[in-house]
Amino acid sequence: MKKIFFPILTVTLLSVSSLAQVGIGTTTPAASAQLDVSSTTKGFLPPRMTYIQREAFTPVEGLMIYNTDSKKPNYFDGTGWKNFDGTSASIIGTPFQGGIIAYILQPGDPGYIAGQTHGLIAAASDQTTGAGAQWGCIGTTIPGADGTALGTGNQNTIDIMAGCATTGIAARLCGDLVLNGYSDWYLPSKDELNKLYINQVRVGGFSSDGYWSSSETDANLAWLEGFTNGLQVNDFKDVTYRVRAVRAF
């Protein structure tokens, strides 16, 4: 019978001690190290991902990645992502798809899908200047424009534009907007507007004045929010306030 011999390939990469220490490039891991990587020609390469990819999973405290958008290493401190100098590495305020990321949907939010990243993008600046714009068509009830929750602003805007032909109103400034290649902007609902208020510093460009939402109260009134104190109130539709468009992603 003919014997066949197979060559044996021996590669020494890991050294596992009795304490389950692991050495890469060394046979004597440092006594205080669970993992000791030794090299004078190569470095440690952590997982590399974008903001959106990073947000698609639930991290554990201490997890580290390299952020290819910010070009910085990030770590999770148990409550949020941080840069290695301790500053916030939040996705909020990041330029994305024609504007600035203003909010990421959380568990319990309408439209939230586990394992996916969705939220709101705000235009980088207001769609009004000076005194602002009217909500429009005071004295007329707009069927369907009474949504207040996250995810209702787009339909509100569609309904307002269909039910109020007045030019220059808040909803039309957003619904007709084409900005940075995107044409699906809308006037945020009451709850969506509140997310802009909460994250106004990171998003940037806001005034301390009031901003219209797309949420109607009745034939004469609609919801707005003051960006000085976050107070959400009703006012008459023919009063002028500032306007900031958003889009969903």
Side-chain angles (χ1 to χ4, degrees), residues 118-151:
H118 299 285
L120 292 175
I121 296 170
S125 59
D126 291 347
Q127 276 54 67
T128 50
T129 57
Q134 295 184 18
W135 198 93
C137 289
I138 188 169
T140 301
T141 299
I142 308 296
D146 57 352
T148 59
L150 291 171

Side-chain angles (χ1 to χ4, degrees), residues 216-238:
E216 182 185 65
T217 305
D218 57 32
N220 296 308
L221 302 169
W223 283 100
L224 67 106
E225 183 158 1
F227 269 52
T228 299
N229 54 16
L231 185 63
Q232 292 189 306
V233 297
N234 297 298
D235 206 348
F236 290 101
K237 294 178 181 179
D238 58 354

Side-chain angles (χ1 to χ4, degrees), residues 135 142-163 171-172 186-192 213-216 223:
W135 198 93
I142 308 296
D146 57 352
T148 59
L150 291 171
T152 61
N154 188 46
Q155 189 60 51
N156 286 347
T157 301
I158 293 171
D159 292 334
I160 294 167
M161 292 175 67
R172 198 168 297 281
Y186 61 88
L187 185 64
S189 68
K190 176 175 174 283
D191 290 356
E192 290 168 337
S213 82
S214 59
S215 303
E216 182 185 65
W223 283 100

Side-chain angles (χ1 to χ4, degrees), residues 35-59:
L35 172 64
D36 187 343
V37 182
S38 178
S39 177
T40 58
T41 58
K42 295 178 175 65
F44 169 67
L45 188 61
R48 293 148 288 170
M49 60 190 71
T50 65
Y51 277 111
I52 296 298
Q53 291 168 332
R54 190 194 69 184
E55 296 298 314
F57 61 90
T58 302

Side-chain angles (χ1 to χ4, degrees), residues 197-208:
Y197 166 75
I198 291 170
N199 294 317
Q200 63 176 297
V201 174
R202 290 179 180 173
V203 175
F206 287 99
S207 166
S208 59

Side-chain angles (χ1 to χ4, degrees), residues 3-159:
K3 295 182 178 180
I4 300 176
F5 296 93
F6 293 94
I8 298 175
L9 178 63
T10 302
V11 179
T12 304
L13 292 177
L14 303 180
S15 174
V16 183
S17 74
S18 59
L19 296 178
Q21 292 175 280
V22 178
I24 299 178
T26 178
T27 58
T28 56
S32 61
Q34 188 68 23
L35 172 64
D36 187 343
V37 182
S38 178
S39 177
T40 58
T41 58
K42 295 178 175 65
F44 169 67
L45 188 61
R48 293 148 288 170
M49 60 190 71
T50 65
Y51 277 111
I52 296 298
Q53 291 168 332
R54 190 194 69 184
E55 296 298 314
F57 61 90
T58 302
V60 65
E61 184 175 352
L63 191 71
M64 293 184 292
I65 62 103
Y66 178 79
N67 189 320
T68 57
D69 286 328
S70 67
K71 309 302 181 186
K72 294 180 180 180
N74 297 163
Y75 69 92
F76 189 73
D77 70 354
T79 58
W81 287 98
K82 297 291 182 66
N83 296 311
F84 274 27
D85 62 1
T87 57
S88 173
S90 171
I91 190 174
I92 306 300
T94 303
F96 186 65
Q97 291 186 357
I100 308 295
I101 294 178
Y103 183 69
I104 298 296
L105 295 181
Q106 302 297 307
D109 285 342
Y112 173 81
I113 301 174
Q116 298 184 20
T117 303
H118 299 285
L120 292 175
I121 296 170
S125 59
D126 291 347
Q127 276 54 67
T128 50
T129 57
Q134 295 184 18
W135 198 93
C137 289
I138 188 169
T140 301
T141 299
I142 308 296
D146 57 352
T148 59
L150 291 171
T152 61
N154 188 46
Q155 189 60 51
N156 286 347
T157 301
I158 293 171
D159 292 334

